[in-house]
Amino acid sequence: MLKGKIASEGHAVGKALCLEKETLSAEKESCENPKTCIKDFHDALDRSEKDLRSLRSKTAETLDEDHAEIFDAHLEMLRDVEIKGQVENMIENDSVQAAYAYEKVTNQYIDMFQEMEDEYFRARAADIADIQQRVLGYLLGKPVKDLSLLEDETIVVARDLTPSDTAGLDLNKVKGFVTEIGGRTSHTAIIARALGIPAVVGAKDALQNVKDGQTLYLDATTGEIHIDPNENLLQGAKKKATKEEKRKAALKKFADKPTKTKDDRSLPLFANLGSLKELVALKENGAEGVGLFRTEFLFMDTDSMPSRDEQVEAYRKVFETIQPVIVRTLDIGGDKELPYLTQDKEENPFLGHRAIRLTLEQKDLFKTQLQALLIAAKNQDDVRIMFPMVATTEELKAAKRVLAESADSLEDEGVDYQKNIKVGIMIEIPSAALNANELAKQCDFFSIGTNDLIQYTFAADRMNEKVAYLYRPYDPVLLRLIKTVIEGAHKEGIEVGVCGEIAGDLNAALLLAGMGIDELSMSPASVLEIRSALSEVTSNDLESLAKKALANAEIDEVEKLLEAFRKEHL
Ligand code: PEP
Ligand code: MG
């Protein structure tokens, strides 16, 4: 049995699929019979073509035609007659195996494209590399594993998962995730919760212990991963899963109700959005808006910078589905990289040139996004723009200047845009939390990002499971810092929400509600449970709970208070 940290609660049983990301490369080996080697090559091309066609139709089904068209380009490159001819010649003339010949020939194209000035052509290098790995996979007997082409119910085991790994995920077949690194606020954890898939992260050496195809029982209520479980355990797992389904079904009655306490205080429950795919879950779970639209996925899932028009289209899709929407501008850096944006290697990327710090320097990128947002927000009721990782008032002023310049350029171009847009910031750096009062004078709203706020306040890397014990949503020190932010915001008459993962933790949500938070934004899967709980308590109950919690010096005491509160009221 392996053990890790619970990232997304639930039970799952499935066949293990180990995602080990190695770049395949072929040794130079001679080919005795060129005809057979050429046939091997053609077989690999046919199998790759079949994959790409399935990926294309799955993408069209789950996302849209535009995303699916990427695979048309891949198919064209796969069938390129020039590449094919060169590989066949090399096999025949140099008597080398197909894998070696194919790698050599495609490498020449990759190098050639990489050296081109034009960004579009440079991005094609990544496309060819992608196809190369797929074809080599077949030739070397290590086929590429696609999370969108699965036959069995599957539990994915990986070191970590990036948004692009999970982009084409077959949601009918992927039942769980296990990763070796990461804590509750790592991006794998956030994605898993958004998709409602059980996940355990920080399961050390999982890839060494689990083999492809083994049956796994993932108990993401204890953090245990059972390898080849016995019949007893399997039966127990099935019972627990059924119970869970029943509980979820009972909560559905809250899906189309606004969130209110027993005495009618409203507390909107929004959802965090990380990709267009999650829009469905968001509606199904009755989110009352989007409190954090992480726009990174638009930039990370492609090989080149998305154009203004492409961005406008994606933003509109969201705004037309749900509102209010708080859109966060690009939060790149830390653990999130863009393949087409070269950044210097940093000693401490989480303390480095990320988010607003980076976009203030990459002005074209920033302006394109702001313009796209202003255009897409035209004629919409409630779209707000939020800047991430603001540490000082100067950064906020600088970001607002770029927003004004972006609007001016649209004016010059004669393009219609939203002229009255609310602008706010994430409070996720202690300096900003302590300066909430001043920052509030220059903002329309705040949203507290506790994932990073905890990381920076307790100096605990959110990706490092060894320091995950410092991630404590009910720590009175954190609560007091949050209280400072709420008071700072309210003094200036602006609203303040929480969009870090603690918002979706029932205990933390009760405390935040009692502290006077104006909105909570969480993974969609948590909305109904919290709405149901809030409907059973009064504002007075919540306020007195928060008051007592804030007066405590020790987290244990706060935990006891919460336990007693839930026993009494829920
Ligand atoms: C946060 O830091 O709390 C947050 C919501 O942002 P992210 O998790 O995307 O860094
Ligand atoms: Mg953050």
Side-chain angles (χ1 to χ4, degrees):
M1 186 189 69
L2 296 168
K3 206 160 164 61
K5 295 197 171 53
I6 303 159
S8 173
E9 282 198 22
H11 299 269
V13 176
K15 292 245 183 304
L17 182 125
C18 300
L19 268 194
E20 275 167 288
K21 284 187 208 158
E22 56 170 329
T23 310
L24 296 175
S25 179
E27 297 280 328
K28 185 173 184 178
E29 279 176 30
S30 60
C31 166
E32 303 298 323
N33 182 348
K35 272 213 177 84
T36 321
C37 292
I38 288 176
K39 185 176 175 306
D40 290 346
F41 173 47
H42 289 177
D43 283 349
L45 289 182
D46 289 346
R47 293 170 80 179
S48 303
E49 181 170 337
K50 203 168 150 228
D51 285 356
L52 292 175
R53 289 196 184 286
S54 303
L55 280 169
R56 194 203 183 287
S57 60
K58 281 248 160 95
T59 311
E61 231 172 74
T62 52
L63 273 175
D64 52 36
E65 262 302 306
D66 284 356
H67 285 84
E69 277 168 14
I70 297 169
F71 295 105
D72 291 336
H74 280 206
L75 279 162
E76 241 171 70
M77 287 181 215
L78 180 77
R79 286 190 301 241
D80 187 285
V81 282
E82 218 171 292
I83 296 181
K84 199 170 161 208
Q86 285 177 20
V87 175
E88 288 168 0
N89 282 344
M90 197 167 168
I91 296 174
E92 271 178 346
N93 300 339
D94 302 352
S95 302
V96 287
Q97 291 281 349
Y100 181 79
Y102 186 69
E103 187 182 343
K104 279 273 166 263
V105 172
T106 41
N107 274 352
Q108 283 169 14
Y109 283 86
I110 295 170
D111 292 346
M112 183 179 84
F113 278 119
Q114 253 163 0
E115 275 160 26
M116 290 192 178
E117 283 281 307
D118 189 299
E119 195 190 311
Y120 173 82
F121 286 110
R122 276 208 312 277
R124 301 289 71 76
D127 288 336
I128 301 182
D130 206 7
I131 299 164
Q132 179 199 64
Q133 289 296 303
R134 185 174 297 281
V135 177
L136 281 184
Y138 281 122
L139 287 169
L140 298 172
K142 294 180 179 174
V144 168
K145 292 168 185 168
D146 279 314
L147 296 183
S148 53
L149 298 175
L150 300 169
E151 306 225 317
D152 300 314
E153 301 208 322
T154 297
I155 294 183
V156 179
V157 184
R159 178 154 173 77
D160 192 23
L161 291 165
T162 63
S164 41
D165 289 328
T166 51
L169 209 66
D170 182 345
L171 293 175
N172 293 319
K173 290 285 161 63
V174 174
K175 298 291 161 193
F177 293 126
V178 175
T179 63
E180 290 187 330
I181 62 166
R184 212 183 138 74
T185 60
S186 64
H187 287 94
T188 302
I190 293 172
I191 291 166
R193 277 198 295 281
L195 298 172
I197 295 177
V200 169
V201 296
K204 256 193 260 149
D205 302 327
L207 285 167
Q208 267 173 39
N209 287 289
V210 178
K211 295 203 175 43
D212 261 340
Q214 276 182 319
T215 300
L216 296 185
Y217 162 34
L218 181 65
D219 183 347
T221 59
T222 58
E224 290 168 355
I225 303 140
H226 303 271
I227 305 169
D228 283 332
N230 61 30
E231 202 43 43
N232 256 356
L233 263 176
L234 274 181
Q235 288 308 327
K238 278 184 196 144
K239 266 193 203 143
K240 284 178 190 158
T242 318
K243 204 169 148 200
E244 234 164 57
E245 305 263 303
K246 276 196 187 143
R247 203 177 65 89
K248 278 191 191 156
L251 284 174
K252 283 281 172 208
K253 68 168 191 259
F254 288 96
D256 45 17
K257 291 191 181 138
T259 315
K260 284 194 190 294
T261 56
K262 224 175 178 175
D263 56 329
D264 240 20
R265 176 192 155 196
S266 292
L267 177 57
L269 297 188
F270 291 174
N272 294 347
L273 182 71
S275 75
L276 296 182
K277 214 174 185 179
E278 293 165 18
L279 275 173
V280 182
L282 208 119
K283 292 293 268 186
E284 275 175 5
N285 287 286
E288 291 161 271
V290 173
L292 168 64
F293 176 13
R294 291 184 167 97
T295 53
E296 291 81 61
F297 81 93
L298 253 181
F299 294 79
M300 291 173 86
D301 284 357
T302 66
D303 301 328
S304 59
M305 195 82 74
S307 66
R308 190 170 89 185
D309 287 349
E310 282 166 341
Q311 292 188 51
V312 170
E313 197 187 326
Y315 300 147
R316 272 199 189 126
K317 255 185 206 148
V318 177
F319 305 159
E320 277 158 15
T321 310
I322 192 165
Q323 281 187 44
V325 181
I326 301 179
V327 191
R328 178 176 74 184
T329 59
L330 200 53
D331 183 0
I332 272 315
D335 60 336
K336 292 173 270 186
E337 286 175 8
L338 294 185
Y340 44 86
L341 192 80
T342 31
Q343 277 184 269
D344 295 337
K345 183 133 188 57
E346 295 181 297
E347 288 295 329
N348 289 305
F350 276 110
L351 300 180
H353 198 223
R354 58 173 292 202
I356 196 73
R357 306 164 181 190
L358 185 138
T359 46
L360 280 175
E361 192 201 69
Q362 299 277 335
K363 262 203 175 172
D364 286 345
L365 174 115
F366 197 20
K367 274 189 173 172
T368 308
Q369 180 174 40
L370 291 170
Q371 289 179 356
L373 284 170
L374 290 173
I375 297 170
K378 170 85 192 154
N379 296 331
Q380 306 292 352
D381 291 335
D382 195 349
V383 172
R384 312 172 203 166
I385 291 179
M386 174 160 75
F387 300 125
M389 298 284 299
V390 170
T392 63
T393 49
E394 288 77 18
E395 280 175 341
L396 170 59
K397 279 187 196 143
K400 286 173 83 172
R401 268 198 304 275
V402 183
L403 179 63
E405 285 166 25
S406 308
D408 287 348
S409 320
L410 290 176
E411 200 76 57
D412 294 345
E413 269 185 66
V415 175
D416 249 359
Y417 65 96
Q418 172 62 265
K419 299 206 166 76
N420 277 318
I421 200 145
K422 284 189 178 158
V423 179
I425 57 171
M426 303 261 310
I427 301 283
E428 49 189 341
I429 297 182
S431 64
L434 295 167
N435 198 24
N437 208 348
E438 284 307 311
L439 288 161
K441 292 181 182 146
Q442 300 169 38
C443 285
D444 298 313
F445 65 91
F446 284 161
S447 186
I448 306 175
T450 46
N451 305 339
D452 279 315
L453 189 60
I454 296 175
Q455 158 164 267
Y456 297 126
T457 305
F458 294 88
D461 181 348
R462 64 194 265 187
M463 293 300 289
N464 185 341
E465 72 273 15
K466 283 204 173 132
V467 295
Y469 70 94
L470 287 164
Y471 176 84
R472 306 194 304 178
Y474 331 125
D475 191 315
V477 174
L478 177 73
L479 298 181
R480 283 201 282 276
L481 196 56
I482 293 177
K483 186 73 182 158
T484 307
V485 180
I486 298 176
E487 283 171 356
H490 287 176
K491 191 156 171 258
E492 294 302 322
I494 68 165
E495 288 192 355
V496 52
V498 169
C499 63
E501 290 303 303
I502 73 165
D505 173 299
L506 177 56
N507 284 336
L510 295 170
L511 289 169
L512 292 166
M515 283 159 69
I517 207 79
D518 299 301
E519 157 260 300
L520 292 172
S521 189
M522 58 197 68
S523 59
S526 303
V527 170
L528 295 181
E529 190 198 2
I530 294 179
R531 182 169 297 154
S532 145
L534 287 172
S535 74
E536 309 215 3
V537 294
T538 65
S539 322
N540 263 345
D541 300 334
L542 292 166
E543 277 160 26
S544 92
L545 168 74
K547 214 166 159 191
K548 284 186 212 148
L550 281 160
N552 268 294
E554 303 287 341
I555 191 168
D556 303 5
E557 295 302 318
V558 180
E559 279 167 352
K560 274 186 208 145
L561 273 174
L562 285 164
E563 206 182 308
F565 184 88
R566 285 176 63 167
K567 252 198 199 130
E568 187 185 340
H569 297 281
L570 303 176

